[in-house]
Amino acid sequence: MAPPPVDYSLYYVTGRTLLPPGKDFFESLSEACEGGVTIVQLREKNISTKEFLELAIRGKEICDKHNVPFIINDRLDIALAVGCGLHVGQDDMPAIEARKLLGPDQILGVSVNTEAEMRQVLEQGVADYVGIGPAYDTATKKDLSTLLGTRGVSRMLAVLGESSIKAVVIGGIQPSTIPNVLRQCPAALPSGKYRGLDGLAVVSAIAASPTPRDAAEALRTLFSQGPSYPVQLQPAAASPEKIIQAASVLLGRLRKGPNPLIHHITNNVVMNDCANLTLALSASPIMSGSAQEADELGQIVGTLLLNFGTVNPAQYAAQETAGKAANRNGRPIVFDPVGVGATAFRKQHCGQLLSDVHASIIKGNAGEIGALYGTDEVKARGVDSVGTGFKDPASIVKNLARREKLVVAMSGVVDYVSDGNLTYAVENGHEYQGVITGSGCMASTAVAAFAAVSEEYGPFVAAVSGLVAINVAAEIAAARPDVKGPNTFRAALIDECYHLTPEKLVEKARVKLV
């Protein structure tokens, strides 16, 4: 018979070498079980078979007392001797052979690090769960395979799909990394569902704790607080009329104050324009690229805006630090992946940033969105898009939003915004926006300003609202008699953002559901 259903939510992999001085292993294990550990794996290296067996017998007794499943790492002989489950790695006995010896009624898990290994698990059909990893660097295991990051784990979960095989993630799983892991790892499936993690495999977070009961309780709480996908639609986004009305409310909120602080870590080409546009929309800019103050600013900002326009290693480090701080403090993040398709450096660091930091909104042009999506239908030349655009832009934006589990806004002749559920087209704007440097960056600034006051409406409404506001202002600016071309338009655009009222926004907004 098959093993009974198992709760994998807090999977504890033991680590005796990590125990605090004077802490007894069995005492620590018992406290961890009392704190909410749901499954225990005994992992030992470089000890005799006799000592391993003694540890396994005593460890299983403790776990049985707390009704916690107990499994052995690598050693089938020990698992058979004590009558428990087994976990095997890629260099251990093949899972299909282990299952023959273990029998059908014990838990069998397999470590996987590549999509090919995941497919092999699915083909064999003998494993109850997979351990995906390592997600991050870890000191508890030296013979590491490729670090997957959250995006790599997500790709693995996509291969696992709707299989009944359970999945836990391992490698660097700590209280500081768990919120991002839970936000980033779930994989969007063709069915419209998401494949998430069934549990977190932890080692030092419990083993090294002087109070493993408390540590386990805190970890269980963190797992239970993970987001659910797909995200529920905000009522304000249900129709064009409602979303335009919400945009007017947000603009009124900006005008009324207090002015939210927008932290820009942006490119030096557009810094002055973006700072002035922030002020014109009644928000307050701080243009700081210092990693040393990013953490402190993360506690007080309304929105963090990250722009890749002139990214370098020092600026990237500041963006990563600031992004993690914003995530910890629940602040929205707008990410503008300027020129992401232009160089390998940008692609690599963009992928790393999106793995380590959960953005609320990605705002880019067609070339940048295409590079993130993985299509070359629209080419990029430097920071600009080349060509006529996507044949089906709404689908590209929607599918990228579903995959990345955030809001995607794509600027162009028509702007498209999607949360992976609904997609809106913003039809306002003027051709002058396409012939001034930094118009896309300024649009991201507008989105960031609206995101700072959109707590109850969420990032989807904020993204649509910010684009409507700057595009309506662009139309008004271009119609002014003193605007003779792109250079006078730039100044007029900031002026009209300053003068824009909720009433003008509602009157001129052209938004439709696509």
Side-chain angles (χ1 to χ4, degrees):
M1 64 178 181
V6 175
D7 180 356
Y8 291 91
S9 57
L10 185 52
Y11 184 124
Y12 175 37
V13 181
T14 64
R16 285 195 302 155
T17 60
L18 301 172
L19 291 170
K23 190 72 173 180
D24 177 73
F25 170 67
F26 297 114
E27 176 190 16
S28 176
L29 177 60
S30 181
E31 291 177 13
C33 290
E34 292 168 3
V37 163
T38 61
I39 184 168
V40 171
Q41 179 195 128
L42 180 63
R43 184 166 73 184
E44 290 291 337
K45 303 291 183 182
N46 305 317
I47 65 172
S48 68
T49 297
K50 179 181 179 182
E51 185 179 0
F52 201 153
L53 181 60
E54 290 172 349
L55 287 171
I57 292 171
R58 182 77 184 278
K60 187 173 185 300
E61 289 175 351
I62 292 171
C63 289
D64 286 347
K65 177 182 176 182
H66 293 92
N67 295 313
V68 174
F70 182 78
I71 62 177
I72 298 294
N73 182 60
D74 295 352
R75 295 287 299 271
L76 176 63
D77 56 336
I78 302 295
L80 291 172
V82 299
C84 69
L86 178 71
H87 183 91
V88 294
Q90 292 296 316
D91 296 328
D92 301 323
M93 178 179 289
I96 199 163
E97 299 301 326
R99 174 58 80 193
K100 292 176 183 177
L101 297 169
L102 194 65
D105 58 344
Q106 296 291 0
I107 300 169
L108 177 61
V110 181
S111 295
V112 290
N113 177 252
T114 68
E115 293 175 38
E117 291 169 357
M118 182 70 85
R119 282 190 287 269
Q120 183 180 55
V121 168
L122 290 169
E123 290 167 3
Q124 291 178 343
V126 298
D128 298 299
Y129 75 91
V130 288
I132 303 173
Y136 301 109
D137 195 12
T138 173
T140 62
K141 196 172 183 181
K142 299 300 182 183
D143 55 334
L144 289 179
S145 302
T146 302
L147 297 178
L148 295 173
T150 58
R151 293 165 75 79
V153 174
S154 183
R155 289 191 293 269
M156 301 281 279
L157 287 170
V159 175
L160 188 59
E162 297 187 42
S163 165
S164 61
I165 296 172
K166 304 301 183 182
V168 300
V169 63
I170 191 168
I173 305 303
Q174 298 283 347
S176 60
T177 60
I178 287 171
N180 192 53
V181 165
L182 296 177
R183 283 190 295 258
Q184 303 276 61
C185 287
L189 303 179
S191 65
K193 298 178 181 178
Y194 281 81
R195 177 61 195 247
L197 292 163
D198 298 290
L200 306 169
V202 301
V203 187
S204 62
I206 292 177
S209 174
T211 56
R213 181 188 296 105
D214 295 339
E217 288 178 354
L219 292 166
R220 281 291 297 272
T221 298
L222 282 173
F223 183 76
S224 69
Q225 293 172 343
S228 177
Y229 296 110
V231 175
Q232 294 299 308
L233 178 68
Q234 288 290 329
S239 70
E241 295 76 19
K242 288 184 177 180
I243 208 165
I244 291 170
Q245 183 58 40
S248 72
V249 170
L250 294 180
L251 180 57
R253 192 173 292 172
L254 282 166
R255 296 307 190 205
K256 183 178 180 180
N259 310 118
L261 183 65
I262 312 300
H263 181 193
H264 300 247
I265 306 182
T266 190
N267 73 74
N268 51 32
V269 177
V270 302
M271 194 174 293
N272 186 65
D273 285 338
C274 289
N276 283 322
L277 186 77
T278 304
L279 290 168
L281 289 171
S282 302
S284 179
I286 181 166
M287 320 302 282
S288 170
S290 169
Q292 287 71 28
E293 62 182 7
D295 192 68
E296 186 175 354
L297 285 172
Q299 301 175 43
I300 60 173
V301 298
T303 301
L304 172 66
L305 174 56
L306 305 177
N307 181 300
F308 252 35
T310 52
V311 69
N312 56 52
Q315 188 186 71
Y316 174 80
Q319 291 188 346
E320 184 179 44
T321 300
K324 290 179 178 179
N327 282 166
R328 283 195 303 273
N329 291 291
R331 310 296 187 186
I333 299 173
V334 176
F335 176 47
D336 191 338
V338 177
V340 65
T343 66
F345 174 84
R346 288 175 188 256
K347 291 177 184 176
Q348 175 190 346
H349 283 76
C350 178
Q352 188 63 48
L353 186 68
L354 288 175
S355 183
D356 292 344
V357 172
H358 184 69
S360 312
I361 302 165
I362 291 176
K363 207 297 292 171
N365 62 31
E368 293 152 358
I369 297 302
L372 290 178
Y373 187 67
T375 176
D376 59 1
E377 182 183 348
V378 174
K379 306 290 185 181
R381 182 176 61 228
V383 301
D384 297 320
S385 294
V386 180
T388 58
F390 294 109
K391 293 179 181 178
D392 187 2
S395 292
I396 294 291
V397 171
K398 181 177 181 179
N399 290 335
L400 181 60
R402 281 195 70 242
R403 190 186 78 191
E404 299 297 334
K405 301 168 289 292
L406 42 68
V407 173
V408 173
M410 184 173 75
S411 56
V413 176
V414 174
D415 296 346
Y416 292 89
V417 185
S418 181
D419 63 350
N421 182 10
L422 295 182
T423 304
Y424 278 95
V426 179
E427 297 179 329
N428 297 97
H430 193 273
E431 63 183 25
Y432 280 161
Q433 289 171 281
V435 292
I436 61 171
T437 298
S439 62
C441 302
M442 295 168 76
S444 297
T445 296
V447 169
F450 278 80
V453 294
S454 186
E455 295 90 349
E456 76 274 34
Y457 291 119
F460 185 35
V461 172
V464 175
S465 300
L467 292 176
V468 168
I470 193 169
N471 289 346
V472 166
E475 292 176 349
I476 297 171
R480 283 172 34 170
D482 59 321
V483 170
K484 307 300 183 183
N487 195 45
T488 48
F489 169 76
R490 179 192 301 275
L493 175 61
I494 295 175
D495 286 345
E496 295 306 328
C497 282
Y498 178 78
H499 291 298
L500 187 65
T501 65
E503 293 76 20
K504 283 184 183 178
L505 186 150
V506 171
E507 175 191 348
K508 295 182 177 294
R510 300 195 308 278
V511 177
K512 70 177 184 180
L513 186 63
V514 293

